[in-house]
Amino acid sequence: MGDGPPSDLVSTSAMSRAAVLHERCAGLCWRYDVHHSQSRVGLSADLSGRFRSYPAALPPGDSRNLRGNMKTVSPTALGADDIDAFIRDGFVRIDDAFAEGTAEQARAILWKATGCDPNDRSTWTRPVVRLDQFGQAPFREAANSLKLYRAFDQLVGIGRWLPRDSIGTFPIRFPSNEAPGDDGWHIDVSFGYDHPDFMEWRANIGSKGRALLMLFLFSDVGADDAPTRIRIGSHIDIAKRLAPAGEVGLTLRELAATGFSESEHREERLVVGKAGTVYLCHPFLVHAAQRHRGKQPRFLAQPPLMPRVPLSLCRADGDYSPVERAILRAISE
Ligand SMILES: O=C(O)CCC(=O)C(=O)O
């Protein structure tokens, strides 16, 4: 991670690489119906609560041109190597994405909501407590740091994502010998939430309704502290499965029918780090929870970054984001 080269250089080389991809994928090119997809974003209950308009959520002092003018983009958060790694591996880790003090304030709120006492382990009776959305100041601050905004711009595209005014959901994991019962491999699907059975929720090759999967660490997470497991490069396997299903996509039930075995050859990585670390993941990244073998509960949130405009796999100008380029590369292999 570093400041990286000037953003206009990144954009120029990214665009020429994207143009090559565009050529290679011409036969596969298809596009969402923009109106349809935007209305889904507005209607979706998602897992995520309400959204502010894009300009309202910019941190004070951020002078970006909100219409997406590349000439006025702010400095970069990710270097060219980080972007390449994101496309290849399906994730990038952002250290100090938000302040540790912010995480501490957030934990105080979350502890109360668990109904457990941080100083009395006899109250830690369940392996996992799931909490939903939180919109208090520490959560908004965590979700809206300038470092994250810059990374969103680089991975999803300027003007193409929506800021969040809440964070959730929180699977809070406690040290336990009991199996948590929710530690299977999966991807987080992104539309069709009006169906009452979550196994019928869907994902599609254009990642309708989700620009990124984000993993926010609100406590220090070591190897024993139930770090989320991620399969490096597994977004490629999922893109290959989703591509033939086109815009309608596949349900979670259909995706899970293989047990996600198409990605079982992939090396695993643990989502470890200090409180304040955020992993920005491709929406198709296969991941799983695990039992907590450590001492202190793990506080993690896994909100989506929502697209402001639908992702496109068919851009006449070749201006593909790294999220889109990863998909195009997978399906053109
Ligand atoms: O708790 C975790 O480590 C991940 C949980 C997860 O992936 C999920 O609930 O969808």
Side-chain angles (χ1 to χ4, degrees):
M1 192 77 54
D3 282 349
S7 56
D8 52 347
L9 293 183
V10 171
S11 302
T12 308
S13 67
M15 282 179 68
S16 56
R17 282 200 301 271
V20 172
L21 276 172
H22 180 76
E23 286 300 309
R24 288 175 62 196
C25 296
L28 300 163
C29 212
W30 60 275
R31 190 196 290 268
Y32 280 129
D33 176 86
V34 170
H35 175 74
H36 175 72
S37 294
Q38 280 179 335
S39 69
R40 295 296 299 177
V41 169
L43 289 174
S44 171
D46 184 49
L47 307 171
S48 53
R50 293 162 295 115
F51 302 98
R52 287 188 295 217
S53 68
Y54 186 65
L58 276 176
D62 189 325
S63 59
R64 287 176 302 175
N65 177 333
L66 296 170
R67 290 194 172 79
N69 183 339
M70 295 299 282
K71 288 185 188 136
T72 59
V73 69
S74 54
T76 56
L78 307 173
D81 287 352
D82 299 315
I83 306 263
D84 287 347
F86 175 86
I87 292 171
R88 182 188 66 234
D89 300 338
F91 67 93
V92 63
R93 168 179 160 160
I94 314 268
D95 292 324
D96 303 311
F98 63 97
E100 278 186 79
T102 304
E104 195 178 343
Q105 290 166 23
R107 281 200 306 277
I109 296 169
L110 293 165
W111 265 115
K112 287 205 179 96
T114 63
C116 304
D117 181 342
N119 301 310
D120 180 0
R121 296 174 75 95
S122 72
T123 63
W124 306 359
T125 54
R126 288 165 288 174
V128 57
V129 174
R130 282 189 177 263
L131 301 176
D132 205 359
Q133 298 295 314
F134 288 79
Q136 294 93 326
F139 301 99
R140 291 200 310 273
E141 273 167 37
N144 292 283
S145 77
L146 194 51
K147 198 166 187 179
L148 283 180
Y149 273 26
R150 287 170 174 161
F152 297 161
D153 278 351
Q154 289 182 275
L155 295 178
V156 178
I158 296 171
R160 294 185 188 164
W161 51 271
L162 286 166
R164 300 193 58 92
D165 66 0
S166 69
I167 293 199
T169 56
F170 284 88
I172 300 175
R173 299 196 182 272
F174 290 83
S176 176
N177 293 325
E178 216 180 294
D182 63 350
D183 52 359
W185 292 103
H186 64 283
I187 65 160
D188 287 8
V189 286
S190 59
F191 67 101
Y193 299 132
D194 44 355
H195 202 291
D197 177 359
F198 74 92
M199 290 300 289
E200 292 299 313
W201 296 354
R202 314 185 77 85
N204 74 4
I205 186 65
S207 194
K208 180 173 171 175
R210 181 186 294 270
L212 289 175
L213 161 70
M214 303 189 286
L215 302 172
F216 280 71
L217 273 52
F218 279 91
S219 59
D220 293 346
V221 182
D224 288 338
D225 306 324
T228 310
R229 297 170 288 160
I230 52 189
R231 283 180 171 165
I232 302 172
S234 53
H235 60 308
I236 295 167
D237 310 314
I238 297 299
K240 289 182 195 296
R241 280 198 68 196
L242 287 171
E247 182 168 1
V248 69
L250 296 174
T251 64
L252 182 53
R253 178 168 283 111
E254 287 165 333
L255 284 162
T258 60
F260 290 91
S261 58
E262 61 280 340
S263 59
E264 71 190 2
H265 62 290
R266 299 279 179 186
E267 195 187 326
E268 283 181 30
R269 179 70 50 85
L270 300 178
V271 174
V272 292
K274 281 194 323 181
T277 305
V278 176
Y279 285 69
L280 298 179
C281 307
H282 195 280
F284 300 161
L285 194 70
V286 178
H287 60 284
Q290 61 173 313
R291 189 167 70 74
H292 196 314
R293 296 168 175 81
K295 301 252 182 291
Q296 290 298 321
R298 183 216 64 175
F299 292 80
L300 167 136
Q302 44 176 10
L305 185 72
M306 304 290 288
R308 181 168 182 259
V309 291
L311 277 67
S312 175
L313 302 181
C314 187
R315 294 189 183 278
D317 60 2
D319 184 18
Y320 293 106
S321 70
V323 173
E324 294 163 340
R325 283 160 55 202
I327 299 171
L328 288 171
R329 182 177 291 181
I331 63 182
S332 65
E333 270 176 4

